Amino acid sequence: MVINRNLKDVTHEESLIIPQGGGNSINWILGHILVSRDDIRELLGLDRLCVDEVKLYDRGTENIDPLSAIHLSKLLEMYNNGELELEDKLSETDLTGNKENLEMLTFLAFHESYHTGQTGLLRRIIGKEGAIK
């Protein structure tokens, strides 16, 4: 919900704006969240949804080149695709007996929350009013 609210009315061109002084664009952050979402899906035994498409957004990659960037609308479609399946799988999965996977899932949930918050700040940096009130 937060990602969709924060990115409502953000154009693809705006999603490529890099904050003054450095950092990543909204486009890169959303693509990076998708990479992590696929890690969560794999951890839970679900198929990855974005395999090759999001390699440009892997951890440690440079901010996305505008000519290589996946269109923001496509990234949002990939983000929303499989959301219910992921939520259902999370609600039925008990990882208490698997400490390593539980720790990784906890980290990935924190990681996604961290980057989701960045989209709200970047929304303001590109000149939009805050979406979460």
Side-chain angles (χ1 to χ4, degrees):
M1 174 201 72
V2 173
I3 287 285
N4 285 292
R5 277 194 185 174
N6 281 341
L7 302 188
K8 184 179 182 195
D9 301 326
V10 172
T11 67
H12 176 67
E13 291 72 25
E14 290 170 330
S15 82
L16 297 169
I17 294 172
I18 298 170
Q20 186 177 9
N24 292 306
S25 65
I26 288 173
N27 188 285
W28 187 89
I29 288 173
L30 183 55
H32 183 65
I33 288 172
L34 288 169
V35 170
S36 295
R37 274 268 173 113
D38 266 359
D39 291 345
I40 293 171
R41 293 179 63 83
E42 186 174 65
L43 186 102
L44 297 172
L46 296 171
D47 291 335
R48 297 176 80 84
L49 293 179
C50 310
V51 185
D52 293 326
E53 296 167 290
V54 294
K55 291 293 182 196
L56 297 170
Y57 301 92
D58 276 340
R59 184 176 192 269
T61 58
E62 296 293 320
N63 195 22
I64 197 74
D65 179 296
L67 298 175
S68 303
I70 298 172
H71 198 278
L72 181 63
S73 62
K74 174 71 173 166
L75 289 173
L76 279 168
E77 179 184 317
M78 290 190 296
Y79 177 82
N80 289 309
N81 187 25
E83 175 71 21
L84 292 177
E85 180 184 34
L86 181 59
E87 287 177 14
D88 288 346
K89 188 67 173 179
L90 280 167
S91 69
E92 69 186 36
T93 301
D94 180 6
L95 294 175
T96 54
N98 188 333
K99 185 179 179 192
E100 184 178 329
N101 281 3
L102 181 59
E103 287 176 357
M104 181 55 73
L105 181 61
T106 301
F107 167 76
L108 290 169
F110 165 78
H111 177 261
E112 183 167 329
S113 298
Y114 173 81
H115 287 303
T116 297
Q118 287 180 314
T119 65
L121 294 172
L122 287 168
R123 177 182 175 83
R124 290 175 180 250
I125 286 171
I126 64 172
K128 304 269 186 199
E129 185 177 323
I132 308 292
K133 305 219 188 274

